[in-house]
Amino acid sequence: MIKEIIKYGFMYILLVFIQVLILNNIQLSGFINPFLYVLFILLLPFQTPTYLLMILGFMMGMTIDIFSNTPGIHSSATVFMAFMRPHVISLLSGRDSQDIGISPRIKGLGFAWFLKYTVILVLCHHIFLFYIEVFTFTGAFYTLLRCLLSSVFSIILVIISQYIIFKN
């Protein structure tokens, strides 16, 4: 238990540093904004209660908001993603197929399952984030294009991280 808390605490700090120091400085034509910090919510174990997911999502989002000077935008999007996560898992896996102690990873669940899981949750996060950021439907297609391009880049980063961190 303590080992898991330390592992996820280290992952939290590492993802915040990567996001704040590297990825927040990458913007390609204003269309691509990679957000790797969502990996923290994606990789939490299946049996994590929804209330804890939402608290951790709020903490992660608020940490990014503090460093990015975006009050509440990332925290609200990450809480929404954390809220959607159990629903997406039950949609993709069925209610009885999550093993106790397992975490969603490519290595354990396969590439196709993890890709579907990641695409749905990253799209939920990014659509919520970018539409809250502009808070208008004027230029809705421009915002949707930003959501899709940023989502593709973020999904690629999440998949690459799975192969770098969790080698066979």
Side-chain angles (χ1 to χ4, degrees), residues 10-11 13 15 19 26 32 78 81 96-97 103-104 108 150-151 161 163:
F10 179 73
M11 181 171 52
I13 293 168
L15 287 172
Q19 185 65 48
I26 296 175
I32 298 175
T78 311
M81 180 183 164
D96 299 331
S97 62
S103 297
S150 294
S151 294
S161 74
Y163 287 110

Side-chain angles (χ1 to χ4, degrees), residues 2-14:
I2 299 297
K3 184 179 174 184
E4 291 292 312
I5 292 172
I6 291 171
K7 179 176 82 171
Y8 285 104
F10 179 73
M11 181 171 52
Y12 181 97
I13 293 168
L14 182 66

Side-chain angles (χ1 to χ4, degrees), residues 14 18 36 39 106 156-168:
L14 182 66
I18 290 171
L36 186 62
L39 184 64
I106 287 178
I156 290 170
L157 288 176
V158 167
I159 298 298
I160 289 171
S161 74
Q162 287 289 293
Y163 287 110
I164 291 173
I165 297 171
F166 304 108
K167 297 177 191 172
N168 289 336

Side-chain angles (χ1 to χ4, degrees), residues 63-118:
T63 305
I64 299 298
D65 282 333
I66 289 169
F67 287 112
S68 302
N69 197 23
T70 55
I73 293 174
H74 291 279
S75 57
S76 61
T78 311
V79 167
F80 178 70
M81 180 183 164
F83 174 75
M84 293 301 295
R85 182 179 181 255
H87 302 294
V88 171
I89 289 170
S90 64
L91 174 74
L92 294 174
S93 303
R95 296 196 184 272
D96 299 331
S97 62
Q98 297 105 22
D99 296 331
I100 300 299
I102 193 171
S103 297
R105 305 231 191 316
I106 287 178
K107 183 179 176 184
L109 297 167
F111 181 80
W113 187 93
F114 189 80
L115 183 65
K116 287 186 272 188
Y117 168 74
T118 302

Side-chain angles (χ1 to χ4, degrees), residues 46-58:
F46 283 125
Q47 73 272 13
T48 307
T50 304
Y51 74 89
L52 185 58
L53 280 171
M54 293 176 69
I55 290 170
L56 291 172
F58 177 77

